[in-house]
Amino acid sequence: MVLIILIFIILSLFLTKKIKVNSLSIALLFYAFSIFLLEMDIVNITEINIYTKSYMLASYLVLLVGAVFGTNLIYQKSIPSSLDLVFEKKIFFYSVIIAIIAISLNSIYFIKSSNGISEFFIRYNESYADRIDGNKSVLIPYLNSIIYISASAGGVILGSDKKASNIVYGIIPILLITVDSILNFGRANLLIGVIIFGIAYNYTLYRRNNYQLKLKPKSLLKVFLLLSILLLTMVQIRSFRGGYENYNMNTDNIMTEKLVEWGLLTPSLIVYFAGPPSVLNQTFGSNLMKSDDVLLENTFAPISRIYAPLFDQSVRRYEEFVNIGIRHSNTGTMLKDFLLDFGVVGSLFCTLLLGVFYGVSYKLYLTTGNIHLYSFLSAYLIMGTFVNLFRSGQFLLPFFLIIIVVISPKLKWIQP
């Protein structure tokens, strides 16, 4: 199965003739790594059967087909246009101001409710458990996630203007995303923000260099520092939350033993990557697929929560857990929610539409330089290795706002 996904990765590199690197290839590489770790059977996670493998491969294939179709859906006769940096800076500052207000008020609320900063971190694991149970939430929900838009705009500005301030357009959004991740007791928000910023910055720079890869030592150092800070922060959040996972690891072969010995493979890393396909497998054909759910309850949970009370129904805050052998888990890749809401055929069609949407955003990036929709969908597909981000209001709100920004007739790049 890994070999077939690698073939898909090679095919994805030919989405267009001009560009040689795209985020769909990166996403497929994540999926391949996830399946690879699962098939290595290092921590005894339940493996996926032939039906789940066939479903996953069919989904990745239609995703790729949709992306190819989407890139050819928009035909551009004229010379690719340039970015309006004045407008990009407006997007950045407006979104930063909104995010700062929301994050600051949420920070003050948590500090006061915890009787001080030190007490907040001392009781961090307890607060996280309260949040899981639905007993604790931020003061102002969702608006804090506007910082994702700032991250995308900041990346565009830094990639376009050599004189732009790294502190203002780079460090500030990443710092705010880090603070917001700590307040929300999770590392996914931090990872999403860094992916959006990284895609926006590197692909804007890539376009400016006429789609030529220029690997400079200074640029590689920046990437290394960013990834190091990201990893350190995620580890610290994990340590504050508690819940050390001591799994028995199968290290019979030399390669696995060395990877574990060098610290390149840890139990948590393996479970995070190898667990979601197993969750999807345990969901496939289970009673969860037969339950009478609210319409779009899984795929677009924040939206379904709005109309569910009209039908005397409610939408669960978290996904259902299933047994994957070593523990119970609930994140089953982005495909699980599609499967639960639309069935096998419907989910394949949904994945095809997702591919088309991604392809359109890709072509918009090539022809206009507008990277925002592409950066968000790239984050969605990469994180799709683990979970469907559309079920999170933290992602869905800024995503919809980005769509409005892209399709607004007032924007220079889509005027006839």
Side-chain angles (χ1 to χ4, degrees):
M1 182 175 178
V2 174
L3 180 61
I4 298 176
I5 300 176
L6 291 176
I7 294 174
F8 290 168
I9 293 172
I10 295 173
L11 293 175
S12 70
L13 296 174
F14 297 94
L15 279 178
T16 65
K17 294 180 180 179
K18 179 180 292 186
I19 189 169
K20 300 180 179 64
V21 180
N22 62 78
S23 56
L24 179 57
S25 305
I26 299 172
L28 289 171
L29 189 60
F30 268 69
Y31 300 147
F33 182 64
S34 176
I35 299 299
F36 173 70
L37 286 182
L38 179 62
E39 292 182 345
M40 286 182 72
D41 193 27
I42 302 175
V43 291
N44 298 317
I45 297 175
T46 302
E47 294 188 13
I48 57 179
N49 57 42
I50 186 64
Y51 301 106
T52 305
K53 288 180 180 179
S54 301
Y55 170 69
M56 294 183 74
L57 289 175
S59 298
Y60 299 152
L61 178 60
V62 297
L63 179 67
L64 180 59
V65 170
V68 173
F69 180 77
T71 56
N72 293 282
L73 199 61
I74 298 177
Y75 180 69
Q76 183 78 13
K77 291 183 179 180
S78 59
I79 299 174
S81 58
S82 58
L83 280 167
D84 184 350
L85 279 181
V86 174
F87 185 77
E88 292 295 330
K89 290 179 180 179
K90 288 182 179 179
I91 293 176
F92 177 84
F93 284 111
Y94 287 146
S95 56
V96 159
I97 290 172
I98 294 173
I100 286 177
I101 293 173
I103 293 172
S104 297
L105 291 176
N106 287 336
S107 299
I108 294 171
Y109 168 73
F110 272 119
I111 291 172
K112 281 189 174 182
S113 62
S114 301
N115 297 318
I117 297 178
S118 60
E119 191 68 19
F120 170 73
F121 285 106
I122 291 173
R123 298 177 55 192
Y124 197 80
N125 189 34
E126 179 183 336
S127 298
Y128 172 67
D130 288 339
R131 181 203 169 193
I132 293 295
D133 294 334
N135 299 324
K136 196 176 188 69
S137 62
V138 294
L139 180 65
I140 303 178
Y142 302 135
L143 280 183
N144 51 319
S145 64
I146 301 298
I147 193 60
Y148 290 157
I149 299 177
S150 307
S152 185
V156 169
I157 295 166
L158 283 179
S160 302
D161 186 0
K162 292 181 179 180
K163 297 180 180 180
S165 171
N166 289 323
I167 295 177
V168 174
Y169 298 109
I171 294 178
I172 287 179
I174 295 300
L175 180 61
L176 288 172
I177 289 170
T178 302
V179 174
D180 183 55
S181 298
I182 293 173
L183 292 177
N184 282 279
F185 310 100
R187 294 159 291 176
N189 293 352
L190 177 59
L191 191 56
I192 294 166
V194 170
I195 292 173
I196 289 174
F197 174 81
I199 291 291
Y201 171 73
N202 287 293
Y203 279 81
T204 299
L205 195 63
Y206 190 43
R207 185 176 187 264
R208 195 182 79 185
N209 292 332
N210 196 27
Y211 307 104
Q212 299 297 318
L213 286 174
K214 296 182 179 180
L215 301 177
K216 299 180 180 179
K218 185 177 180 181
S219 300
L220 292 176
L221 179 60
K222 288 180 180 179
V223 173
F224 176 76
L225 289 175
L226 180 61
L227 292 177
S228 298
I229 294 172
L230 172 65
L231 180 61
L232 179 61
T233 305
M234 293 175 70
V235 169
Q236 286 302 315
I237 293 175
R238 173 69 184 175
S239 63
F240 281 133
R241 274 177 24 179
Y244 176 71
E245 297 171 334
N246 185 22
Y247 300 116
N248 294 322
M249 301 180 67
N250 301 324
T251 55
D252 296 335
N253 62 72
I254 297 177
M255 182 182 72
T256 303
E257 185 178 352
K258 288 298 181 183
L259 290 174
V260 172
E261 181 181 332
W262 295 337
L264 298 177
L265 280 182
T266 64
S268 292
L269 176 69
I270 296 168
V271 172
Y272 281 133
F273 272 92
S278 182
V279 171
L280 176 64
N281 181 77
Q282 298 303 89
T283 302
F284 203 99
S286 70
N287 291 330
L288 291 176
M289 295 186 63
K290 302 174 184 178
S291 60
D292 185 19
D293 294 331
V294 180
L295 181 66
L296 302 180
E297 175 183 6
N298 301 284
T299 306
F300 298 105
I303 298 176
S304 64
R305 289 193 185 99
I306 297 174
Y307 55 76
L310 299 176
F311 303 96
D312 293 326
Q313 293 180 304
S314 61
V315 176
R316 296 182 299 272
R317 181 176 175 84
Y318 292 98
E319 303 166 73
E320 292 282 351
F321 283 79
V322 296
N323 189 347
I324 59 171
I326 60 169
R327 55 173 274 187
H328 283 76
S329 184
N330 64 343
T331 54
T333 78
M334 67 179 185
L335 299 176
K336 189 189 81 169
D337 288 345
F338 298 164
L339 184 65
L340 290 175
D341 282 339
F342 306 109
V344 175
V345 176
S347 66
L348 290 175
F349 180 72
C350 185
T351 308
L352 178 67
L353 290 180
L354 178 64
V356 172
F357 200 23
Y358 169 82
V360 169
S361 74
Y362 191 15
K363 195 60 174 287
L364 282 173
Y365 154 67
L366 291 176
T367 56
T368 70
N370 185 339
I371 193 71
H372 301 306
L373 185 58
Y374 181 62
S375 66
F376 271 75
L377 284 173
S378 296
Y380 179 87
L381 289 177
I382 292 172
M383 292 298 293
T385 309
F386 315 102
V387 68
N388 160 41
L389 291 181
F390 287 155
R391 72 175 296 119
S392 168
Q394 292 289 109
F395 183 83
L396 204 56
L397 174 62
F399 179 74
F400 280 153
L401 290 177
I402 281 297
I403 293 177
I404 293 173
V405 168
V406 171
I407 67 176
S408 172
K410 295 181 180 179
L411 296 187
K412 176 180 176 182
W413 51 71
I414 64 171
Q415 287 182 355

